[in-house]
Amino acid sequence: MNAPEKLSLGIKLPAAGGRLEHFRLSEPRNFPRKAAGAFNRVAYSAAHVVADPLAAVDPWQGCAVDWDATIAYRRTLWALGLGVAEAMDTAQRGSGLDWTTSLELIRRSIEASRDCKGALLASGAGTDQLAAKADTGLDDVIHAYEEQIAAIEALGGRIILMASRALARVARSPDDYHQVYDRILGQVKEPVIIHWLGEMFDPALARYWGHADHGKAMEVALDIISRNAAKVDGVKISLLDRDKEIAMRRRLPKEVKMYTGDDFNYAELIEGDSAGHSDALLGIFDAIAPAASAALAALAKNDRNTFHEILAPTVPLSRHIFGAPTRYYKTGVVCMSWLNGHQDHFVMVGGQQSARSILHLAELFRLADAAGLLRDPELACARMKQLLGVNGIVQ
């Protein structure tokens, strides 16, 4: 691919060692605003929420959502042919977004999806309404899952079965995971997507499936999935390890999909190999939605060169956004949304706009430019200058 054409538009960005360096923006890629055709992969974007910056709530204690802007962005994703994975960790579930607000978000998204032909939507059901108490047991976890699943199914929603912090806390062996998942999967109306979120995304989920070793944990998950295959549409693993995902993918029952949650290696995993491919349920697809849509359209035409040419420059951006501590990746996702004009401010639920340094966000700006993803360079530059000014960096 030729280097992107540089514009006269420039900005002074902070660099290592306290330096400021002049950066010239590039011409953005002309990605379509609508899907260019049907995809041959199922592709969900885990979507972020837009906070209401004018709400009279303490951002560390309360949760206020700008519903219009939040739903508008979901319509943008659907227009690009991407599905929406609703009320997941990208939406700050468990890090600012509580169950009550999550259910309202799910309700509004389900209603909006009915106006969008072919809109794909699945919603996260978990156990986050449970308070962390010493006497919590497996029955409490089961009842919490049942409550959320019943509420989502009553709205006509499909289920993504989220990993449970409460289960990780109270389980004493793999048998406890078998008991909970067998009970829940035996009740769901439609096949679900099981979500295995690694501890790099959420330290409270360490030792999920009853083992610290991912290989041993995978054996437990595969056993549960195999015994309940008729109730499992697919499994999403977020371990940021391509080899582990491929190993699990090759052992899944034929009818069960692998949804990659690997925000480091998604291009290779989605393309697949002679033994199969991964579909997608990715947080990075929120931030790179136009590129993801164009790349998936090319792959559907078996144009693998264009698929990789589009996605290759997005991978450094994604690896940066999801860099350690990975759980703060939402800050980069929302910053991208603000830079691209999908929302009017860079304020987050839980005040998490402060979770990344100005050096981190400056590098995000450079990498987004290199990927052709700053769709209006003048707007992005003006907004980045505002952010730099708040941090004492005068242009």
Side-chain angles (χ1 to χ4, degrees), residues 184-207:
I184 296 303
L185 292 172
Q187 299 179 58
V188 293
K189 292 180 179 179
E190 295 184 79
V192 307
I193 298 172
I194 291 176
H195 188 192
W196 179 7
L197 190 66
E199 62 274 12
M200 65 290 296
F201 286 87
D202 187 345
L205 295 174
R207 298 186 60 86

Side-chain angles (χ1 to χ4, degrees), residues 67-123:
W67 295 116
D68 290 342
T70 294
I71 297 302
Y73 192 62
R74 280 135 181 81
R75 294 184 186 277
T76 296
L77 294 171
W78 285 323
L80 288 166
L82 299 173
V84 170
E86 191 55 277
M88 304 294 290
D89 47 302
T90 304
Q92 297 182 248
R93 186 77 174 269
S95 58
L97 193 75
D98 58 26
W99 164 237
T100 300
T101 311
S102 296
L103 184 58
E104 178 64 10
L105 172 62
I106 290 166
R107 183 188 69 78
R108 288 172 181 259
S109 289
I110 289 172
E111 288 186 357
S113 72
R114 294 180 178 130
D115 298 331
C116 299
K117 185 178 180 180
L120 187 62
L121 175 66
S123 302

Side-chain angles (χ1 to χ4, degrees), residues 143-376:
H143 293 154
Y145 266 133
E146 289 173 338
E147 178 188 349
Q148 292 201 12
I149 289 168
I152 295 169
E153 289 183 338
L155 295 171
R158 296 185 60 196
I159 302 296
I160 301 171
L161 199 61
M162 298 177 69
S164 166
R165 289 177 179 175
L167 179 55
R169 187 172 64 250
V170 305
R172 296 293 174 261
S173 72
D175 289 342
D176 291 340
Y177 288 87
H178 281 281
Q179 180 180 336
V180 171
Y181 277 84
D182 286 349
R183 171 82 170 269
I184 296 303
L185 292 172
Q187 299 179 58
V188 293
K189 292 180 179 179
E190 295 184 79
V192 307
I193 298 172
I194 291 176
H195 188 192
W196 179 7
L197 190 66
E199 62 274 12
M200 65 290 296
F201 286 87
D202 187 345
L205 295 174
R207 298 186 60 86
Y208 211 73
W209 307 113
H211 293 286
D213 178 85
H214 288 159
K216 294 178 180 178
M218 189 180 295
E219 295 297 329
V220 179
L222 283 166
D223 188 31
I224 290 171
I225 291 166
S226 295
R227 292 207 322 269
N228 297 279
K231 291 296 186 77
V232 181
D233 169 66
V235 56
K236 178 210 168 162
I237 65 169
S238 299
L239 300 178
L240 302 181
D241 187 315
R242 62 173 293 280
D243 293 334
K244 290 174 183 175
E245 178 174 320
I246 292 171
M248 188 173 187
R249 185 175 79 196
R250 289 177 176 170
R251 295 180 60 193
L252 288 173
K254 184 177 180 181
E255 65 272 26
V256 175
K257 301 180 185 70
M258 169 60 76
Y259 289 96
T260 185
D262 189 334
D263 300 280
F264 285 4
N265 303 292
Y266 48 93
E268 177 183 358
L269 291 162
I270 292 169
E271 180 187 24
D273 53 33
S274 59
H277 66 265
S278 295
D279 293 289
L281 198 166
L282 287 160
I284 194 57
F285 273 14
D286 182 299
I288 68 164
S293 176
L296 289 166
L299 184 62
K301 298 174 183 175
N302 203 34
D303 184 353
R304 294 171 185 262
N305 289 336
T306 298
F307 171 78
H308 285 292
E309 183 265 330
I310 292 170
L311 288 186
T314 73
V315 172
L317 172 65
S318 187
R319 286 175 173 260
H320 180 70
I321 288 174
F322 285 81
T326 301
R327 62 187 179 276
Y328 296 136
Y329 76 88
K330 282 81 76 173
T331 303
V333 169
V334 175
C335 187
M336 283 289 294
S337 180
W338 175 60
L339 291 173
N340 277 319
H342 295 296
Q343 55 194 80
D344 295 332
H345 58 82
F346 182 33
V347 175
M348 295 177 65
V349 171
Q352 286 202 22
Q353 67 272 12
S354 65
R356 294 293 201 185
S357 71
I358 193 62
L359 277 171
H360 178 95
L361 297 174
E363 183 64 11
L364 175 150
F365 188 86
R366 295 184 185 95
L367 293 170
D369 176 84
L373 283 167
L374 298 178
R375 64 177 187 170
D376 181 341

Side-chain angles (χ1 to χ4, degrees), residues 27-41:
E27 189 74 31
R29 294 282 302 255
N30 186 27
F31 293 120
R33 300 293 179 93
K34 294 185 178 181
F39 303 155
N40 60 357
R41 302 289 188 269

